[in-house]
Amino acid sequence: MISEATEFQGRPVAVLGAASGIGRATALAFAAKGARVAALDVNTDPLEGFADDLRTAGAEEALSAVADVRDSNMLNTALKQATDDLGGLDHLIFTSGILRVGALADMAENEFDDVFAVNMRGFWIAARAALPHLQAGPDRRKSITALSSAAAIRPKASSGAYAASKIALSHLVRVLAVEQASSGITVNAIAPATVDTPMTQPFMGETNASHGYRLSGTSPMGRIAQPEDIAEACLFLSSQASSYITGITMPVDGGSTAAMPRG
Ligand SMILES: NC(=O)c1ccc[n+]([C@@H]2O[C@H](COP(=O)([O-])OP(=O)(O)OC[C@H]3O[C@@H](n4cnc5c(N)ncnc54)[C@H](O)[C@@H]3O)[C@@H](O)[C@H]2O)c1
C-alpha cells in the first residue's frame, strides 16, 4: 500500500525525550502531519508551552507530561494517562538518552550505571509499558522507534559506556521486533552520528572537559546532521512505507559509518 500524505492525521504518538534535540524535532514533525502528540520527558521546564507549540505546528491534539524512563511506575502512569488523553497509542518514539564521557579506567560507577539506566534499561521499561496500549487499539500501522547511535556500529574511545548501552539497546530492538512480529508492531532503531543538539554542543570544538572524547563531526556529505534529519527517519519508520521493516538499526549519518573517509 502506498502511504498517503495524511497518514499520521489524528494518529496518537508518544515521544519520550521530547524536551530537547531530536525528540523535540520529532514531536514537531508528527505535529506538522496532524498527529495527536504526547511530549514526555524527565525535564519539564522546556516542556512549558510546548503543547501549544505542537498545536500551532498542526497537531490535532497535544499534551506534555513528566516521565522518567528510569522509573517504571512513573512511566506506566504517564503512558496510560497519555494514551487515555490521546485516545490510544499507535507509535512510541524513544529518544531519551544521556552521554557521559571519559576513559573506562576513570569512569565512576554511578555514571556508568546512569548511562545504562536511561539508554538501555529505560528503553525496555518504556517499550514494555507501551506494548499493551499499542496492542489494544485498532488493527492498523503500529510501531516503536528508538534512538540508538553510530556508537553502536563504531564505538569510540572515551565513550565506552555510552557505546555499550547503545549496542545493547539495538539488541533489545532486534529481539523485541521478533517477539512482536506476529502482532504487526514493528520495532526499529536509528543510528545517527553527530547531530547538532544540546547533547553534542558542549563537545563542538576542543574543550578541556571533553576527557579525550571526539565527536564524529562533519559527515562525508559535508555537514553535521540537524535534529530534523533524524525526525524524518522517525516518521519513515512509523509510516506505512516501512511496514515490512522490523528489527533493524538504521544508520542516518550522511555516510559517517559506511567507510573510513579519504585521508
Ligand atoms: N546528538 C547526537 O549527536 C546523537 C547521536 C547519536 C545518537 N543520539 C541519541 O539520540 C537521542 C536524543 O539525543 P539528543 O541529541 O536529542 O539529546 P538531548 O540531550 O538534546 O535530548 C535528550 C533528552 O532525553 C531526556 N532524558 C534524559 N534522561 C531521561 C530520563 N531519565 N527520562 C526521560 N527522558 C530523559 C533529556 O531530558 C532530553 O530532553 C539520545 O538517545 C542520544 O543518545 C544523539
Side-chain angles (χ1 to χ4, degrees):
M1 183 176 146
I2 301 297
S3 58
E4 297 162 20
T6 57
E7 72 174 298
F8 294 116
Q9 183 71 46
R11 294 299 162 92
V13 180
V15 181
L16 274 159
S20 178
I22 294 166
R24 189 177 180 86
T26 302
L28 285 165
F30 274 104
K33 301 285 183 192
R36 303 166 69 81
V37 182
L40 308 172
D41 205 292
V42 70
N43 186 6
T44 46
D45 286 355
L47 291 179
E48 193 77 31
F50 190 44
D52 290 336
D53 295 344
L54 290 168
R55 277 187 218 99
T56 303
E60 192 176 281
E61 183 54 86
L63 63 93
S64 65
V66 62
D68 186 339
V69 302
R70 295 166 298 186
D71 181 336
S72 58
N73 286 335
M74 187 195 243
L75 201 52
N76 286 338
T77 304
L79 273 177
K80 172 153 190 348
Q81 188 64 54
T83 300
D84 288 349
D85 292 350
L86 296 180
L89 184 66
D90 285 10
H91 305 290
L92 175 73
I93 313 292
F94 181 87
T95 74
S96 298
I98 58 172
L99 170 65
R100 298 287 181 268
V101 300
L104 286 170
D106 303 327
M107 183 165 263
E109 285 174 28
N110 65 328
E111 283 202 318
F112 192 99
D113 292 345
D114 286 349
V115 168
F116 272 79
V118 177
N119 297 0
M120 181 200 70
R121 187 175 181 277
F123 168 69
W124 167 59
I125 294 288
R128 191 181 62 171
L131 278 169
H133 304 300
L134 292 164
Q135 288 158 348
D139 186 14
R140 61 190 186 199
R141 182 80 178 98
K142 306 276 183 68
S143 67
I144 298 175
T145 304
L147 261 296
S148 182
S149 168
I153 300 163
R154 181 210 53 193
K156 287 188 290 193
S158 292
S159 54
Y162 179 81
S165 75
K166 292 297 188 178
I167 190 64
L169 179 150
S170 286
H171 264 22
L172 292 178
V173 161
R174 297 169 78 159
V175 173
L176 190 60
V178 171
E179 290 174 353
Q180 292 300 317
S182 62
S183 74
I185 300 167
T186 62
V187 187
N188 292 294
I190 294 167
T194 304
V195 187
D196 184 8
T197 72
M199 179 179 280
T200 51
Q201 280 150 8
F203 303 103
M204 302 275 181
E206 294 298 319
T207 66
N208 291 333
S210 297
H211 299 286
Y213 174 72
R214 270 198 1 227
L215 293 171
S216 300
T218 304
S219 77
M221 293 188 80
R223 66 180 178 87
I224 285 174
Q226 294 302 310
E228 292 73 20
D229 293 310
I230 313 305
E232 286 295 332
C234 290
L235 289 180
F236 170 67
L237 288 175
S238 309
S239 72
Q240 196 59 42
S242 67
S243 61
Y244 200 58
I245 298 176
T246 196
I248 67 162
T249 291
M250 181 171 80
V252 181
D253 65 359
S256 295
T257 55
M260 287 286 282
R262 281 190 291 207

